[in-house]
């Protein structure tokens, strides 16, 4: 069983070929960072145009590198949402067209499910497991009970953690994307120097909030002595931000672990899987790793290139769905919002918070 | 020569299969949005109705814009997928040419043709043509009130002007105000895949460069550069 996966929901035009033996035959990611950098963030219309320009070339290269032809495919999977709709449209329409010509099924994959199932591709994890999905667009804790079967334990009531990283970097002039820059510069900083808030820490539940942390970063920058920003101040602030983020993550994930064990007391070896772009952050990864060993959870984080957006996770989710005979019709409509757990109650809201995005 | 034409560039969705000048199967629906749901289904339907497989095709034809950004992406992404998977050439035809080609010769009758396409914003997309689809101006986005002056072309002031396109109504008042003799065409204001495929049949030669069709947006992305890249202080 061989599936092509296409991912175009944000600023990476990506495609991959994966087989049912959990082998990635090719995995191409074309990052549009250069096109978005001047704007200091991803511009949806710029992204959508770039996806259309790149999509067929990226697929062609992927197929070539996989050493197969399009005739060898058993299905074509593409991200059907949630995400920036312009890119999702490009990916799904291209996938539908290829599937139509080759007479194979089309599968519209939930981008979040792609992240959620990656640990089964990399580590063959069995259901159920606890998942922390943490990226620029999402921050949620879920129980992965099966393919298409999720229970959301908590989500962010305002910003995603990756968004807070990016905004911190932006305010400090560290460029875009900001997460890797903050992590790099924080290594030279003192994480205890600035006192930053830990929103929701110590409160019950597994929801997140990061906008207060972001605001305090802004106020701290504004309150630094006049003149040019000093390198050490920037490093200390990055480090302090990262420590605060780690404290919040550990607290919320700790609560989620307890909830998971209440829900699934018979699980012999509970597993925490971390996925999404922020899972590429080594400091946070180590923090969650320690927490896991303290709490008796087996910790799994896919390699960084499978944590950030990629086509392999979409191809793999496609394989999982295809094995269950769960494919989509040509009239699938791309979904800008597509929660994994549609029955989850809305996240608790702060003052003026917009609520969860997915 | 078997040609599959399809369009979702404006407020319609259509697909047609043509063989040596005959339309074998055809679908057309007025559709303000949602073409992502219906386009591939329509394409499959015309293929099935004509009893043809994708392997029988010789050429694809698609509208490249201008029009709705979303609509362009839907049609062009489908075109790129079909071209890649079917190893087929694909001819891109602008929305202006596709709409102009739908105006019958009798109605055209020596007039200068103004094709006016809706942008769903203040401005409209326009291009002038003489008989035989000969362009008299470059494609451009203009405000309707500036239309007469923006069309830097003697024929628009000297000749009778026939207007076609889904922004036709919005163009007419401005042109009449400039004292021109203007008529609104009865032809379809949106592209139609049948016309598109027929036009492609006339234009295509085996020597045509085999390029991937590219969108004609006529507008830069709507995004502002943040001051200092969003940096709070020096």
């Amino acid at each position: 069983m061989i599936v092509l996966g296409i991912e175009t929901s944000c600023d990476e035009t990506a495609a991959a070929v994966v087989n049912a033996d959990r082998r990635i035959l090719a995995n191409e990611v074309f990052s549009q960072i250069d096109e978005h950098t001047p704007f200091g963030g991803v511009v949806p219309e710029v992204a959508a145009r770039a996806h259309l320009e790149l999509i067929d070339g990226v697929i062609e290269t992927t197929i070539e590198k996989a050493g197969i032809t399009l005739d060898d495919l058993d299905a074509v999977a593409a991200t059907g949402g949630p995400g920036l709709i312009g890119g999702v449209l490009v990916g799904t329409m291209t996938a539908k067209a290829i599937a139509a010509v080759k007479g194979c099924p089309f599968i519209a994959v939930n981008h979040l499910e792609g992240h959620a199932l990656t640990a089964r591709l990399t580590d063959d994890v069995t259901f159920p497991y606890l998942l922390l999905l943490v990226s620029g667009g999402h921050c949620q804790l879920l129980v992965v009970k099966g393919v298409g079967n999720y229970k959301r334990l908590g989500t962010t009531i305002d910003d995603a953690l990756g968004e807070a990283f990016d905004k911190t970097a932006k305010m400090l002039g560290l460029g875009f994307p900001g997460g890797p820059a903050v992590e790099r510069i924080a290594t030279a900083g003192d994480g205890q120097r600035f006192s930053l808030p830990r929103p929701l820490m110590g409160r019950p539940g597994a929801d997140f909030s990061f906008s207060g942390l972001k605001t305090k970063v802004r106020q701290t920058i504004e309150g630094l002595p006049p003149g040019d920003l000093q390198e050490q101040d920037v490093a200390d602030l990055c480090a302090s931000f990262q420590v605060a983020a780690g404290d919040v993550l550990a607290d919320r994930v700790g609560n989620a672990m307890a909830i998971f064990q209440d829900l699934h007391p018979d699980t012999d070896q509970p597993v925490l899987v971390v996925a999404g772009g922020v899972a590429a952050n080594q400091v946070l990864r180590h923090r969650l790793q320690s927490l896991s060993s303290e709490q008796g959870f087996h910790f799994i984080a896919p390699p960084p290139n499978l944590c950030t957006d990629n086509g392999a996770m979409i191809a793999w989710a496609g394989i999982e769905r295809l094995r269950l005979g769960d494919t989509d019709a040509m009239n699938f409509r791309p979904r800008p919002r597509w929660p994994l757990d549609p029955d989850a109650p809305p996240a608790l809201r702060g003052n003026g918070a917009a609520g969860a995005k997915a | 020569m078997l040609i599959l034409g399809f369009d979702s560039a404006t407020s319609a969705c259509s697909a047609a299969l043509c063989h040596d000048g005959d339309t074998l199967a055809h679908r057309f629906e007025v559709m303000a949005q949602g073409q992502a749901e219906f386009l591939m289904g329509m394409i499959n339907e015309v293929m099935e109705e004509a009893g043809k497989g994708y392997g029988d095709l010789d050429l694809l034809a698609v509208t490249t814009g201008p029009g709705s950004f979303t609509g362009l992406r839907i049609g062009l992404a489908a075109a790129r997928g079909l071209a890649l998977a079917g190893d087929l050439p694909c001819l891109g035809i602008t929305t202006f040419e596709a709409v102009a080609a739908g105006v019958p010769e009798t109605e055209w009758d020596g007039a200068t043709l103004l094709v006016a396409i809706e942008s769903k914003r203040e401005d409209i997309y326009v291009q002038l043509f003489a008989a035989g689809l000969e362009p008299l101006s470059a494609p451009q986005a203009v405000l309707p009130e500036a239309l007469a002056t923006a069309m830097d072309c003697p024929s628009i002031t000297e000749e009778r002007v026939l207007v076609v396109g889904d922004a036709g109504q919005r163009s007419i008042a401005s042109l009449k105000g400039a004292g021109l003799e203007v008529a609104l065409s009865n032809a379809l204001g949106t592209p139609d895949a049948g016309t598109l495929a027929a036009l492609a049949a006339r234009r295509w030669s085996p020597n045509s460069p085999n390029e991937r069709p590219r969108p004609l947006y006529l507008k830069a992305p709507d995004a502002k550069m943040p001051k200092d890249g969003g940096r709070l202080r020096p």
Side-chain angles (χ1 to χ4, degrees), chain A residues 252-273:
Chain A
R252 312 316 289 169
V253 174
N255 286 358
M257 285 171 161
I259 299 171
F260 178 88
Q261 287 187 306
D262 278 350
L263 291 171
H264 300 280
D266 303 333
T267 311
D268 294 338
Q269 173 55 70
V271 173
L272 169 68
V273 171

Side-chain angles (χ1 to χ4, degrees), chain A residues 179-197:
Chain A
V182 170
E183 182 182 4
R184 194 176 61 247
I185 287 162
T187 53
D190 170 8
Q192 305 306 320
R193 173 165 161 210
F194 294 104
S195 161
L196 299 175

